[in-house]
Amino acid sequence: MFHHVKKLLLLSSLTVMSIRSSAQEMPDMWTTGANNKANPNLEWFKSAKFGLFIHWGLYSKLGGKWKDSSYYGSGEWIMNRAKAPAAEYAKVAQTFNPTGFNAEQWAEIAKNSGVKYLVITAKHHEGFSMYDSKVTDFDIVDATPYKKDPMKELAAACRKQNIQFGFYYSQFLDWHEPNGGGNKWDFKEAEKDYQQYYRSKSVPQLKELLTNYGKLGIVWFDMPGGLTVDQTKIMIDSLRKLQPNCLFSSRVGHDLGDYRDFGDSEVPPTPIAGAWESIYTHNDSWGYIQHDLNFKSPRDIIHLLSNVASKGGNLMLNVGPDGNGRWPEYSIKYLLETGKWLKKYGESIYGTTYGLIPAQPWGVTTSKPGKLYLHIWQQPDNNQLKIAGINANITSVRILGTTQPLAWKKIGSETIIQLPATLPDARNTVLIMEYKGQQQDLSQLHTQTVSAHYPEITMSPVWAVFNGAASTKSFTYSHYFGDWKHDNCAINMTQPTDALVFPLQVQEAGDFKVVLDYNCEAGAATQPGLVTLGAQQLPFLTLPTGTYDSHQPMLFLQHAVGVIHIDQPGEYNLTVKPAKANKKELFRLRNVILQPLQ
Ligand code: FHN
């Protein structure tokens, strides 16, 4: 898994430039598919970087309401959450008439948003087929007044726009069918025959999709169940025969997909080689919910996209059209805004690999041979970008899309780039640094850059050196239902020897406030902890935030524990540890934040 934090022995003279692992040791996810053969079609996927996910089904017509109750969270789960009887829920189809659907317009918005592939729900867990299926009458052509197959038009429109087209297919969960997974409120679990479900609906439908819609880029399986490894292999083999180059997502089950999907709304904390994808939805729900207006801004999307690219993966962002076939206004607006940014800076995203320089206080990097792209999310207040570790011979530095070179100089191991007072895009201006020779791969470097020229420096324990029993764990939780969040925290710190050490490269002297961002259960509160930097010590007592429960918000406190002073730029180790032997773990530390004091 991606929690590949190395335990390094903490020597008293720990060298700051400790590298997590060599490039060869970088975790490589899912470069092989079923039968362990690399799928030749992965190349388009790896360079595509940005995809569009669309959840569209009967739930889109319900818009988060069933009878008199409103539901927040994942709208496409409304049938399950309301325990709506299958026969009654099926009646929604009688009034499902998406006359506002316009395939050309959808594909055009997708194109102008800069996405290179589009994956849409052919059948979600509710069991309704959004295409013309001969396997069932519970589909958009047979069961609705619409009577047309929108997927035919959409597949064609996407191809016209040069967008790879794919289907999402929920292969196991089907709340409409007695033998499908998941519906225990209508159908007895003991009487279910999952094999029969696969034989009679899932596999025949997957075959229809792979036969009737031209070349598919992806079949995006979801929530596997009911099949052994061998049965999954047999299913995959039978589908592969129809379209050998079509990619299958990892949620086909048993690690048999062509590439890896992380959890919903999850970005791995560190760069990863190979083909993988992070999936997010534009607001909190995948399917349309009328009252869910928590849309990510263009800045959020651009940061997410560049962050995922800086770690080597693709972002597939979801929109949920309503029951009439119209996209939420903010989804159109913000996606098109993202597209404008990509028109200017797309070279720094498409076809790139993870950044060779680790995340910096100013932003992230992506790379191509001989080129490093610097994504500036946060401009330093002195307009000087200082980067340690550039060993290649720089030939030029420019703002991407301009010809004017930026002045830069080297002082020791640092490269200093002079930025204009105002950058063209405050959300993310990208610089292109061209170089000759080999740039060392520092993507796994533990060292955190600390500078007084940013409002704050946020350091995840993922990059710390762990001692004793200390380790990291990803905590997953949701606020409403299915709107998953993932936070990596340091855990198991009960003894003073269970210390976290953050190697720092401090660029300027100064005073820094130390803020610990943590979750702490009531029973673990008031335990003594200590932050040290050289001889400086900041003692603190933990404060309670609440218990962890994956179906509740996980609460974090930003606890300011004191000020450290740094006399001169250089290498330091900042340590966080229990001050004495405790019975309970000190806390779950999400970040250490350093705030330069003026
Ligand atoms: O249960 C589904 C959910 O509704 C949605 O389709 C997401 C998208 O990745 N997949 C499942 C949960 O992981």
Side-chain angles (χ1 to χ4, degrees):
M1 275 306 292
F2 60 87
H3 296 130
H4 52 278
V5 174
K6 295 245 178 273
K7 288 204 176 189
L8 300 183
L9 273 182
L10 180 65
L11 307 172
S12 52
S13 60
L14 175 100
T15 51
V16 169
M17 298 294 270
S18 53
I19 292 187
R20 167 180 297 270
S21 59
S22 71
Q24 291 96 311
E25 284 174 296
M26 176 181 278
D28 189 340
M29 298 292 191
W30 259 260
T31 48
T32 57
N35 307 328
N36 241 9
K37 284 194 197 110
N39 187 318
N41 232 22
L42 275 172
E43 284 317 308
W44 79 256
F45 178 83
K46 283 207 282 188
S47 67
K49 293 293 163 195
F50 192 24
L52 185 72
F53 212 177
I54 300 182
H55 276 62
W56 198 37
L58 295 182
Y59 46 80
S60 315
K61 165 120 179 86
L62 295 171
K65 282 200 183 130
W66 178 254
K67 309 240 179 236
D68 293 330
S69 300
S70 282
Y71 292 82
Y72 284 77
S74 290
E76 68 288 356
W77 273 75
I78 195 162
M79 178 179 175
N80 180 301
R81 294 181 70 201
K83 302 292 176 260
E88 201 179 332
Y89 186 87
K91 288 188 189 143
V92 177
Q94 293 170 6
T95 55
F96 186 77
N97 194 13
T99 51
F101 168 72
N102 182 333
E104 297 281 336
Q105 190 196 41
W106 282 26
E108 198 179 313
I109 302 171
K111 177 75 178 180
N112 291 332
S113 304
V115 301
K116 300 291 184 194
Y117 60 104
L118 184 152
V119 173
I120 185 164
T121 45
K123 175 189 82 78
H124 203 268
H125 314 332
E126 65 179 358
F128 184 70
S129 309
M130 288 294 286
Y131 71 98
D132 185 13
S133 177
K134 301 299 170 217
V135 174
T136 171
D137 283 344
F138 192 45
D139 70 88
I140 191 161
V141 174
D142 295 315
T144 77
Y146 190 65
K147 296 199 182 312
K148 284 181 283 178
D149 182 344
M151 300 302 159
K152 276 265 185 252
E153 286 175 46
L154 190 59
C158 283
R159 278 185 203 114
K160 204 165 115 193
Q161 298 285 8
N162 216 7
I163 293 172
Q164 290 269 1
F165 181 74
F167 282 119
Y168 167 107
Y169 191 86
S170 170
Q171 74 269 33
F172 169 62
L173 291 189
D174 192 320
W175 304 322
H176 181 73
E177 304 290 343
N179 288 320
N183 184 344
K184 298 176 194 164
W185 59 96
D186 285 315
F187 313 114
K188 288 202 179 85
E189 173 83 2
E191 290 171 14
K192 282 180 184 286
D193 180 349
Y194 295 137
Q195 300 302 310
Q196 170 62 12
Y197 175 71
Y198 274 101
R199 268 196 307 274
S200 63
K201 186 163 177 182
S202 218
V203 172
Q205 285 209 320
L206 284 159
K207 287 186 173 168
E208 285 182 328
L209 294 169
L210 284 157
T211 308
N212 299 335
Y213 296 87
K215 267 195 189 167
L216 299 185
I218 296 175
V219 173
W220 212 93
F221 293 87
D222 199 10
M223 300 202 69
L227 292 186
T228 63
V229 183
D230 287 343
Q231 288 165 338
T232 308
K233 278 187 183 157
I234 290 168
M235 176 178 83
I236 290 177
D237 286 346
S238 74
L239 299 176
R240 283 232 192 273
K241 283 195 187 103
L242 298 171
Q243 292 206 31
N245 290 332
C246 177
L247 300 175
F248 294 167
S249 71
S250 57
R251 296 191 189 172
V252 70
H254 299 293
D255 294 357
L256 290 170
D258 295 302
Y259 65 89
R260 178 182 167 96
D261 267 297
F262 279 84
D264 295 346
S265 328
E266 183 176 29
V267 182
T270 58
I272 285 178
W276 58 269
E277 183 179 59
S278 279
I279 42 179
Y280 273 77
T281 187
H282 192 195
N283 46 356
D284 285 326
S285 172
W286 301 88
Y288 175 73
I289 288 196
Q290 200 177 4
H291 45 269
D292 176 358
L293 297 169
N294 189 20
F295 293 98
K296 290 166 188 69
S297 67
R299 174 193 292 266
D300 294 336
I301 301 172
I302 292 164
H303 283 199
L304 192 53
L305 179 61
S306 44
N307 187 28
V308 172
S310 79
K311 289 173 172 157
N314 289 9
L315 171 70
M316 182 158 71
L317 187 72
N318 177 76
V319 297
D322 66 16
N324 191 30
R326 299 197 192 276
W327 295 18
E329 197 186 315
Y330 286 113
S331 291
I332 299 179
K333 195 168 152 191
Y334 294 171
L335 271 163
L336 290 179
E337 196 49 46
T338 306
K340 277 193 212 149
W341 181 87
L342 276 163
K343 267 218 159 66
K344 213 164 165 190
Y345 297 118
E347 183 191 326
S348 68
I349 299 287
Y350 305 124
T352 58
T353 54
Y354 63 87
L356 299 177
I357 303 293
Q360 299 287 310
W362 45 263
V364 296
T365 63
T366 51
S367 346
K368 280 182 187 167
K371 292 175 182 151
L372 200 61
Y373 298 98
L374 316 176
H375 297 253
I376 307 173
W377 295 349
Q378 167 86 50
Q379 182 159 7
D381 64 10
N382 63 347
N383 301 322
Q384 290 194 347
L385 213 61
K386 260 190 207 173
I387 312 162
I390 306 281
N391 69 310
N393 295 321
I394 301 172
T395 53
S396 80
V397 182
R398 288 176 289 120
I399 293 177
L400 197 55
T402 69
T403 48
Q404 186 70 27
L406 296 180
W408 59 271
K409 60 185 174 192
K410 278 212 153 177
I411 300 183
S413 66
E414 286 181 331
T415 302
I416 303 170
I417 302 167
Q418 185 63 47
L419 300 174
T422 312
L423 289 171
D425 196 323
R427 301 165 304 189
N428 183 359
T429 294
V430 183
L431 308 189
I432 173 168
M433 177 187 279
E434 294 182 279
Y435 61 84
K436 290 214 164 74
Q438 192 75 24
Q439 170 57 40
Q440 58 186 332
D441 183 346
L442 298 175
S443 61
Q444 304 290 308
L445 189 75
H446 285 261
T447 309
Q448 302 281 314
T449 304
V450 175
S451 162
H453 293 295
Y454 301 87
E456 57 184 34
I457 315 295
T458 301
M459 308 187 298
S460 162
V462 161
W463 295 105
V465 177
F466 288 77
N467 290 276
S471 62
T472 62
K473 180 177 163 187
S474 172
F475 287 85
T476 297
Y477 56 97
S478 85
H479 283 180
Y480 298 116
F481 175 91
D483 55 322
W484 299 111
K485 329 255 176 246
H486 309 269
D487 280 308
N488 287 287
C489 298
I491 56 162
N492 290 339
M493 298 166 71
T494 57
Q495 313 292 318
T497 44
D498 303 330
L500 290 187
V501 180
F502 292 86
L504 309 182
Q505 175 77 46
V506 181
Q507 294 184 334
E508 297 90 18
D511 292 340
F512 295 84
K513 178 155 278 185
V514 180
V515 178
L516 302 177
D517 170 36
Y518 63 79
N519 167 278
C520 180
E521 307 231 339
T526 70
Q527 295 186 118
L530 199 60
V531 174
T532 68
L533 187 127
Q536 300 176 67
Q537 297 203 337
L538 304 178
F540 64 93
L541 290 183
T542 53
L543 300 169
T545 62
T547 36
Y548 166 68
D549 169 344
S550 62
H551 286 87
Q552 301 287 332
M554 186 170 182
L555 299 179
F556 289 89
L557 176 77
Q558 280 77 51
H559 182 171
V561 296
V563 176
I564 49 168
H565 174 75
I566 296 183
D567 271 341
Q568 50 183 338
E571 299 171 355
Y572 296 87
N573 287 329
L574 182 136
T575 303
V576 184
K577 60 184 182 182
K580 66 176 184 59
N582 293 318
K583 284 213 172 69
K584 304 230 175 215
E585 65 176 354
L586 192 60
F587 46 26
R588 289 136 182 183
L589 183 68
R590 181 169 63 170
N591 288 305
V592 175
I593 302 165
L594 298 181
Q595 295 170 342
L597 300 178
Q598 305 299 330

